[in-house]
């Protein structure tokens, strides 16, 4: 049985300080009385300022995650599988810590150096009739974008020169033609969509939860941290999936990220999202590596999947197959566009989902709108990669809640989340609240630690409950250098 939360079951909350958190908690199947354990410290003023209620989205996602951690801790260390609200450690979320964490990839410093978050060929471009946004941070996506538009890349031009060529080519084509052409070539470009009508309601669920038909979960013993001893197989890439795994690592899980050796990760991205985790390389298409991978899978508690939907199915690793073979497993899937419709199987990133859902038109910098409802001037962006960060905390919340419920029924879970579902909630399910006065200084919520990449200045996790860890127990390891074994 599949339960879709986030629309009717959670409803719209007209008022109340914790209305957004209650909505997120209901979307995860949590008991409503536990939301009373959550409070917020409005200690940073009007952070994450936007036309849309991004601050509410961010703090609600972190609040739900903090509450899920506190609930699991209470269940593991208590005498009953269902605890009273008073037995759950209180949660107090700092809005300043949330804002800092939501900018973690921008605030990161490696030996004082600020990473580049977007490549020169990633961004908004004028077309003959509107705007299009490209994503070309990875070399293979960059190559496909240029090839689709028949732009030569023989190594004689730098990216700035190629950007000029790209701009001159795109302005001769319609946005929809660019979108279709680049998609067919395996690249990433999305045409600007108009702002949705205000009467439109949420069209996508915030979370989908399905309980496995058979029991098979091991019972977790009492522990100092809620996810201590939990083995998490991390099959994710930029950005929400790694953030979910990073959060589980903070809470005590043994998180092992596994990547194919032929698909390298950006070092700065890994440095930001790899805190507390280990990183190994396996080519599951090769018999020897597949045997190692299956061994890891056999004793895993959680699998996080954030590859394009269907990418692992041909290898016999579809979620239903995993649950059939390992009935106690928790399989959490993350997609860009939702799980049905013509876009469901497409690749996607936060920046592109903002464009497709109409967020970029809502946040546009120009005055007025075009006849089709798109931004009259340059499209805008959210003040952070808020869909990625919020969804990452929601995924971690769902895993923690599945672990809690597994203590009672011994069953695994299949969880599904999407950036588009989070976008739908942001646009249609949240109302803004008035921020308190305050001055925001992100350094209050940052720390410094050594790493194989150099000395890191990085954001602390905003996940907080009474007794929670302040920082990760270990720094990031160098990508792909750890042994593919559980600790």
């Amino acid at each position: 049985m599949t339960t879709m939360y986030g629309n009717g079951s959670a409803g719209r909350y007209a008022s109340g300080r914790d209305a957004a958190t209650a909505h997120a908690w209901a979307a995860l199947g949590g008991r409503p009385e536990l939301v009373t354990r959550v409070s917020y410290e409005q200690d940073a003023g009007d952070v994450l300022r936007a036309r849309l209620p991004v601050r509410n989205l961010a703090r609600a996602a972190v609040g739900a995650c903090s509450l899920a951690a506190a609930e699991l801790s209470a269940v593991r260390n208590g005498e009953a599988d269902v605890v009273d609200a008073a037995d759950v450690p209180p949660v107090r979320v700092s809005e300043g810590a949330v804002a800092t964490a939501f900018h973690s990839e921008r605030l990161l410093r490696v030996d004082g150096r600020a990473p580049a978050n977007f490549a020169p060929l990633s961004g908004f471009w004028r077309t003959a009739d509107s705007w299009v946004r490209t994503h070309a941070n990875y070399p293979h996506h960059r190559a496909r974008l240029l090839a689709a538009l028949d732009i030569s890349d023989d190594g004689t031009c730098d990216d700035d020169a190629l950007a000029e060529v790209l701009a001159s080519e795109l302005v001769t084509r319609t946005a929809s033609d660019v979108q279709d052409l680049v998609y067919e070539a395996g690249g990433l470009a999305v045409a600007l969509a108009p702002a949705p009508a205000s009467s439109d309601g949420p069209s996508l669920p915030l979370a989908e939860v399905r309980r496995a038909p058979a029991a098979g979960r091991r019972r977790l013993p009492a522990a100092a941290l809620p996810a201590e001893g939990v083995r998490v197989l991390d099959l994710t890439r930029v950005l929400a999936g790694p953030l979910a795994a990073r959060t589980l690592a903070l809470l005590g899980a043994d998180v092992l990220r596994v990547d194919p050796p032929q698909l390298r990760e950006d070092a700065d991205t890994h440095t930001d999202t790899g805190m507390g985790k280990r990183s190994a390389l396996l080519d599951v298409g090769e018999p020897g590596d597949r045997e190692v991978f299956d061994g890891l899978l056999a004793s895993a508690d959680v699998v996080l999947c954030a590859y394009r939907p269907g990418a692992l199915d041909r290898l016999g690793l579809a979620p239903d197959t995993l649950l059939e073979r390992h009935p106690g497993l928790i399989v959490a899937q993350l997609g860009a566009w939702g799980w049905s419709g013509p876009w469901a199987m497409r690749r996607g990133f936060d920046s592109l989902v903002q464009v497709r859902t109409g967020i970029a038109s809502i946040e546009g910098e120009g005055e007025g709108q075009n006849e089709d409802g798109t931004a009259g001037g340059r499209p805008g962006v959210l003040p952070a990669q808020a869909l990625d960060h919020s969804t990452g905390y929601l995924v971690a919340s769902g895993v923690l809640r599945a672990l809690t419920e597994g203590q009672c029924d011994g069953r695994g879970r299949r969880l599904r989340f999407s950036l588009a579902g989070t976008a739908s909630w942001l646009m249609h399910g949240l109302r803004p609240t008035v921020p308190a006065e305050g001055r925001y200084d992100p350094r209050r919520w940052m720390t410094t630690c050594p790493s194989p990449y150099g000395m890191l200045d990085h954001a602390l996790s905003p996940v907080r409950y009474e007794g929670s860890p302040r920082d990760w127990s270990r720094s990031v390891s160098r990508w792909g250098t750890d042994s593919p074994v559980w600790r």
Side-chain angles (χ1 to χ4, degrees):
M1 177 180 178
T2 300
T3 304
M4 294 188 182
Y5 299 108
N7 294 339
S9 64
R12 281 181 177 236
Y13 291 81
S15 63
R17 183 179 180 188
D18 297 320
T21 306
H23 184 112
W25 190 245
L28 300 166
R31 292 158 50 215
E33 65 269 23
L34 299 189
V35 179
T36 61
R37 305 300 287 167
V38 182
S39 61
Y40 292 94
E41 188 175 359
Q42 294 181 302
D43 51 2
D46 193 9
V47 291
L48 300 172
R49 182 182 300 178
R51 292 190 175 101
L52 290 165
V54 177
R55 181 174 60 90
N56 287 25
L57 170 75
R59 73 175 203 165
V62 172
C65 187
S66 301
L67 181 57
E71 179 192 29
L72 178 57
S73 181
V75 169
R76 288 189 67 168
N77 294 296
E79 298 180 357
D81 293 333
V82 179
V83 294
D84 294 331
D87 296 324
V88 175
V91 169
R92 187 169 181 83
V93 176
S94 159
E95 290 189 355
V98 171
T100 302
F102 270 55
H103 287 107
S104 64
E105 69 275 10
R106 302 181 190 181
L107 294 171
L108 178 72
R109 297 294 182 269
V110 184
D111 286 336
R113 176 184 60 84
N117 296 128
F118 285 98
L121 302 188
S122 297
F124 285 111
W125 308 87
R126 271 283 189 189
T127 64
D129 61 340
S130 182
W131 292 85
V132 70
R133 179 147 191 171
T134 59
H135 196 289
N137 285 10
Y138 285 106
H140 57 291
H141 291 153
R142 176 184 180 277
R144 293 167 185 171
L145 170 67
L146 295 175
L149 299 168
D150 200 25
I151 297 175
S152 174
D153 182 20
D154 57 8
T156 60
C157 295
D158 61 21
D159 275 349
D160 289 336
L162 282 173
E164 293 183 10
V165 177
L166 178 63
S168 63
E169 176 63 33
L170 292 177
V171 78
T172 67
R173 302 172 183 263
T174 67
S176 61
D177 284 347
V178 173
Q179 174 180 278
D180 295 342
L181 189 65
V182 175
Y183 169 69
E184 290 299 326
L188 292 156
V190 174
L192 181 66
S198 59
S199 59
D200 290 349
S203 58
L204 293 172
L206 193 58
E208 298 177 39
V209 181
R210 192 184 75 185
R211 187 172 61 175
R217 279 210 55 75
R218 64 185 177 96
R219 189 172 181 83
L220 299 173
L225 294 175
E228 185 175 321
V230 175
R231 292 171 170 175
V232 179
L233 198 55
D234 177 13
L235 310 179
T236 69
R237 295 178 73 82
V238 184
L239 185 60
L243 291 174
R246 183 181 73 179
T247 301
L248 296 172
L250 172 84
L251 299 171
D254 179 11
V255 180
L256 180 64
R257 173 169 165 168
V258 175
D259 285 284
Q262 63 271 23
L263 195 60
R264 293 195 62 82
E265 179 60 284
D266 174 73
D268 289 337
T269 300
H270 176 66
T271 302
D272 175 54
T273 61
M275 297 297 297
K277 306 190 292 188
R278 294 177 298 123
S279 170
L281 301 179
L282 290 173
D283 184 350
V284 295
E286 295 294 327
D289 281 4
R290 179 57 185 264
E291 184 177 357
V292 174
F293 182 85
D294 286 343
L296 292 170
L297 189 60
S299 53
D301 298 292
V302 178
V303 176
L304 299 181
C305 302
Y307 294 145
R308 181 170 55 89
L312 297 176
D313 294 13
R314 61 183 177 81
L315 298 170
L317 299 173
D320 286 341
T321 302
L322 294 178
L323 285 172
E324 183 179 346
R325 294 175 182 169
H326 311 282
L329 194 64
I330 296 168
V331 180
Q333 288 181 278
L334 171 65
W337 307 105
W339 302 98
S340 61
W343 281 64
M345 303 300 289
R346 293 196 180 198
R347 301 172 180 86
F349 293 92
D350 179 314
S351 57
L352 303 181
V353 174
Q354 289 187 40
V355 174
R356 174 70 179 175
T357 57
I359 290 174
S361 288
I362 294 173
E363 299 291 341
E365 299 170 2
E367 297 182 358
Q369 290 186 333
N370 298 321
E371 291 184 1
D372 65 353
T374 56
R378 185 179 181 85
V381 296
L382 297 178
Q385 297 288 96
L387 304 181
D388 265 330
H389 284 269
S390 296
T391 308
Y393 289 111
L394 291 171
V395 172
S397 306
V399 170
L400 294 166
R401 290 237 61 253
L403 290 167
T404 295
E405 293 181 346
Q407 290 287 91
C408 180
D409 62 20
R411 298 187 182 188
R413 300 289 192 280
R414 178 180 177 180
L415 315 173
R416 298 203 300 194
F417 301 83
S418 71
L419 301 182
T422 302
S424 179
W425 184 38
L426 172 64
M427 291 188 290
H428 306 294
L430 288 171
R431 293 186 178 181
T433 56
V434 178
E437 296 292 329
R439 181 176 178 273
Y440 174 55
D441 181 358
R443 291 174 295 181
R444 290 178 55 192
W445 298 280
M446 296 185 69
T447 190
T448 302
C449 73
S451 82
Y453 295 94
M455 188 62 66
L456 304 183
D457 295 304
H458 69 88
L460 293 166
S461 173
V463 174
R464 290 286 188 271
Y465 59 91
E466 188 175 274
S468 63
R470 181 177 182 271
D471 198 0
W472 287 270
S473 62
R474 56 180 288 152
S475 182
V476 61
S477 63
R478 190 171 289 278
W479 182 81
T481 59
D482 291 299
S483 298
V485 295
W486 294 119
R487 287 203 302 256

